[in-house]
């Protein structure tokens, strides 16, 4: 049998191709080269000192920096609104804060500028204010003392410390930042200081550098709560301050990125992370599997028993995917007598998928099945969940 084969080799900045004729009726030289060629073009990556990187990486870095500036500004404005509300800083109009947020026009109110100005001659230093609020109970009936407390809180908002959002330990979290935080904690113990404000004010008095230290968000929270207790601030105000200064901003909703359904354009598609989508994806893949066993003359779809046999392979909590070879091994009773149906190997079981094909698992369903002790049907988790779900008025159970 004769057939013509096209081979393509793609690289980062070149593409090569070749066309050969194959004749299995010839004992020798079954392949005959017809033509070949190549095309070299500019690579789509940035190469510096032999290291490849995305051309957009530099632009992305600048974008992340702009986003960080924006978030810090929004947090400052939110804190200023609260300080103004409780008379802990000079008043600013709503229009001034709005222009700062939207038009990037920093408020040049004279009283506000004097409040945040550092003046060593008059003791107007934020580290001194933090130390003062931690060690002395101020008379908050005086506007001057209220402004001191507000300035200390505003400075804590500016220097609120590092907090990793990683759930597991990584090389980055165990790197320079963590080492510096641990060294700072040891220095505070050696100086017998409990709070960052006290330690930094001591460094300031000795003329040592302060802003070269990495600080922890937990230490800043500890100092914030200590200031609130020392100055007898209300529990309501304390929680509001903690919410603005310490709490990490929640992630923005990404619902708008979900496209519209092909069959019902007025409704959104089911998210990829939804367990029902995992179930649909699994059944869609299983229904597309075709195999040829020892008693089959051609490829056929799987029987219901065979489908139920391989379903447990998809219920993996930790792995997001596995190889199709696991399915072939399961259907062939563990014997290494399987291959792709176009391979020339003599195997009793043939499949319409390559053995190294990646197959997506159902990790969410696997966790739900374990939580509800599901052992009979894969869709039983939904019924068990509905049994313990407190339904409100008008809600019902969604049928599959």
């Amino acid at each position: 049998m004769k057939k013509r084969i096209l081979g393509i080799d793609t690289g980062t900045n070149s593409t090569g191709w070749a066309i050969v004729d194959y004749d299995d009726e010839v004992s020798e030289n079954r392949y005959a080269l017809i033509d070949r060629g190549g095309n070299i073009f500019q690579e789509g990556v940035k190469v510096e000192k032999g290291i490849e990187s995305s051309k957009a990486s530099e632009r992305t870095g600048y974008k992340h920096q702009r986003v960080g500036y924006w978030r810090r500004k929004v947090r400052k404005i939110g804190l200023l609104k609260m300080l103004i509300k409780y008379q802990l800083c000079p008043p600013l109009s709503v229009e001034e804060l709005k222009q700062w947020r939207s038009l990037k026009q920093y408020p040049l109110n004279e009283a506000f500028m004097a409040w945040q100005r550092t003046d060593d001659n008059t003791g107007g230093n934020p580290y001194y204010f933090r130390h003062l609020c931690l060690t002395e109970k101020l008379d908050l009936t005086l506007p001057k003392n209220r402004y001191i407390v507000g300035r200390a809180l505003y400075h804590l908002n500016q220097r609120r410390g590092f907090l990793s959002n990683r759930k597991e330990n990584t090389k980055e979290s165990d790197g320079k930042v963590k080492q510096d935080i641990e060294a700072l904690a040891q220095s505070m113990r050696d100086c017998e200081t409990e709070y960052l404000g006290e330690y930094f004010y001591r460094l300031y008095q000795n003329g040592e550098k302060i802003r070269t230290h990495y600080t922890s968000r937990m230490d800043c929270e500890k100092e914030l709560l200590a200031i609130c207790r020392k100055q007898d601030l209300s529990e309501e105000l304390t929680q509001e301050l903690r919410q603005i200064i310490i709490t990490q901003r929640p992630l923005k909703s990404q619902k708008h990125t979900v496209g519209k359904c092909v069959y019902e354009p007025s409704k959104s598609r089911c998210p990829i992370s939804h367990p029902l989508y995992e179930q649909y994806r699994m059944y869609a893949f299983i229904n597309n599997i075709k195999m040829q066993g020892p008693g089959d003359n051609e490829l056929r779809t799987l029987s219901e028993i065979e489908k139920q046999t391989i379903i447990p392979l998809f219920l993996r909590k930790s792995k997001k995917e596995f190889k199709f070879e696991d399915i072939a091994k399961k259907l062939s009773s563990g014997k290494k007598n399987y291959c792709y149906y176009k391979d020339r190997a003599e195997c009793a079981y043939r499949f319409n998928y390559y053995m190294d094909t990646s197959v997506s698992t159902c990790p969410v369903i696997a966790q739900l099945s374990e939580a509800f002790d599901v052992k009979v049907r894969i869709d039983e988790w939904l019924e068990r969940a509905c049994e313990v779900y407190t339904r409100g008025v008008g809600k019902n159970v969604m049928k599959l």
Side-chain angles (χ1 to χ4, degrees):
M1 178 180 177
K2 296 181 179 181
K3 58 182 178 179
R4 180 157 291 185
I5 302 174
L6 169 64
I8 300 177
D9 177 28
T10 59
T12 58
N13 64 328
S14 65
T15 300
W17 60 271
I19 300 176
V20 297
D21 279 344
Y22 174 79
D23 189 356
D24 58 359
E25 297 179 356
V26 180
S27 59
E28 297 181 358
N29 299 326
R30 294 183 177 182
Y31 294 94
L33 178 64
I34 304 301
D35 200 0
R36 68 178 185 274
N39 183 28
I40 299 176
F41 47 85
Q42 185 176 2
E43 65 271 16
V45 295
K46 181 179 179 181
V47 181
E48 289 185 356
K49 298 181 180 180
I51 301 176
E52 295 183 355
S53 62
S54 171
K55 290 185 176 181
S57 59
E58 185 176 0
R59 184 173 69 250
T60 303
Y62 290 135
K63 178 183 178 182
H64 289 168
Q65 194 173 32
R66 291 195 303 271
V67 171
Y69 289 153
W70 165 257
R71 290 175 180 172
R72 282 193 288 271
K73 182 173 71 172
V74 171
R75 192 170 62 248
K76 288 180 181 180
I77 293 174
L79 179 61
L80 283 174
K81 289 180 179 179
M82 184 180 301
L83 296 180
I84 293 170
K85 175 184 175 182
Y86 289 97
Q87 300 177 355
L88 295 174
C89 76
L92 291 174
S93 65
V94 177
E95 186 63 26
E96 286 178 309
L97 294 177
K98 184 177 180 181
Q99 289 181 349
W100 184 18
R101 180 186 176 103
S102 304
L103 305 179
K104 300 181 181 180
Q105 296 180 3
Y106 192 77
L108 300 178
N109 183 294
E110 185 176 350
F112 176 70
M113 296 296 292
W115 171 71
Q116 62 174 339
R117 186 178 295 120
T118 299
D119 189 352
D120 294 334
N121 296 326
T122 60
N125 183 280
Y127 292 105
Y128 168 70
F129 291 153
R130 288 168 61 176
H131 169 75
L132 188 64
C133 293
L134 286 167
T135 56
E136 296 183 19
K137 173 63 178 73
L138 303 178
D139 183 6
L140 298 185
T141 60
L142 301 176
K144 179 181 178 180
N145 291 340
R146 298 184 68 87
Y147 288 177
I148 289 177
V149 175
R151 185 65 183 92
L153 296 174
Y154 189 72
H155 191 257
L156 266 176
N157 186 50
Q158 293 175 298
R159 309 280 186 269
R160 65 176 190 157
F162 170 78
L163 175 65
S164 175
N165 58 0
R166 298 179 182 270
K167 295 183 178 180
E168 68 280 349
N169 293 328
T170 61
K171 292 182 179 180
E172 291 79 5
S173 62
D174 294 333
K176 184 178 185 302
V177 175
K178 185 176 180 180
Q179 293 176 3
D180 285 2
I181 291 175
E182 292 176 351
L184 176 62
Q186 183 61 44
S187 298
M188 291 174 61
R189 287 191 292 268
D190 295 340
C191 295
E192 298 181 352
T193 54
E194 186 177 359
Y195 303 108
L196 289 172
E198 295 177 309
Y199 176 75
F200 287 147
Y201 181 61
R202 181 173 297 185
L203 294 183
Y204 172 76
Q205 288 180 313
N206 297 334
E208 301 180 31
K209 290 185 178 181
I210 298 177
R211 296 187 61 179
T212 56
H213 297 86
Y214 286 103
T215 59
S216 170
R217 184 78 53 81
M218 292 184 293
D219 292 335
C220 293
E221 181 180 8
K222 181 181 178 181
E223 181 178 344
L224 171 64
L225 297 178
I227 291 176
C228 293
R229 288 194 303 267
K230 190 68 176 180
Q231 304 306 321
D232 289 335
L233 301 183
S234 65
E235 183 65 23
E236 179 185 0
L237 176 57
T238 301
Q239 293 304 320
E240 290 181 6
L241 289 170
R242 184 180 178 278
Q243 178 68 25
I244 290 181
I245 298 176
I246 303 300
T247 304
Q248 195 85 347
R249 181 188 62 84
L251 295 175
K252 292 183 179 179
S253 173
Q254 299 299 316
K255 288 184 178 180
H256 62 280
T257 62
V258 180
K260 297 298 182 181
C261 179
V262 177
Y263 305 105
E264 297 187 55
S266 61
K267 298 182 179 180
S268 299
R269 292 172 178 162
C270 183
I272 295 178
S273 59
H274 199 285
L276 291 180
Y277 175 78
E278 287 186 349
Q279 194 165 325
Y280 156 77
R281 181 179 60 195
M282 179 195 66
Y283 282 130
F285 186 85
I286 291 177
N287 290 334
N288 286 327
I289 297 176
K290 292 184 179 181
M291 66 172 292
Q292 181 179 355
D296 302 321
N297 296 325
E298 58 183 11
L299 292 174
R300 60 170 178 81
T301 58
L302 302 183
S303 65
E304 191 62 31
I305 297 178
E306 291 170 336
K307 292 179 181 179
Q308 295 299 324
T309 302
I310 63 175
I311 281 179
L313 297 175
F314 291 80
L315 301 180
R316 306 188 183 191
K317 297 187 299 180
S318 57
K319 292 186 177 181
K320 294 183 178 180
E321 58 184 27
F322 63 96
K323 299 300 182 183
F324 183 81
E325 186 175 4
D326 294 346
I327 295 179
K329 187 182 300 183
K330 191 77 172 179
L331 294 174
S332 60
S333 301
K335 300 177 181 178
K336 293 186 177 180
N337 196 20
Y338 47 79
C339 64
Y340 181 58
Y341 78 105
K342 288 186 177 181
D343 289 347
R344 299 189 174 278
E346 297 295 334
C347 297
Y349 295 88
R350 296 180 175 273
F351 298 88
N352 62 331
Y353 283 99
Y354 289 104
M355 297 300 109
D356 59 351
T357 301
S358 296
V359 184
S360 299
T361 60
C362 304
V364 177
I365 293 180
Q367 296 176 36
L368 291 172
S369 299
E370 181 179 351
F372 293 106
D373 194 23
V374 174
K375 299 179 181 179
V376 182
R377 305 189 318 272
I378 188 174
D379 56 355
E380 190 179 354
W381 63 268
L382 182 58
E383 299 176 6
R384 297 287 184 87
C386 292
E387 293 176 0
V388 299
Y389 177 63
T390 305
R391 294 188 293 274
V393 179
K395 290 188 176 182
N396 52 21
V397 179
M398 179 175 55
K399 298 295 184 181
L400 295 177

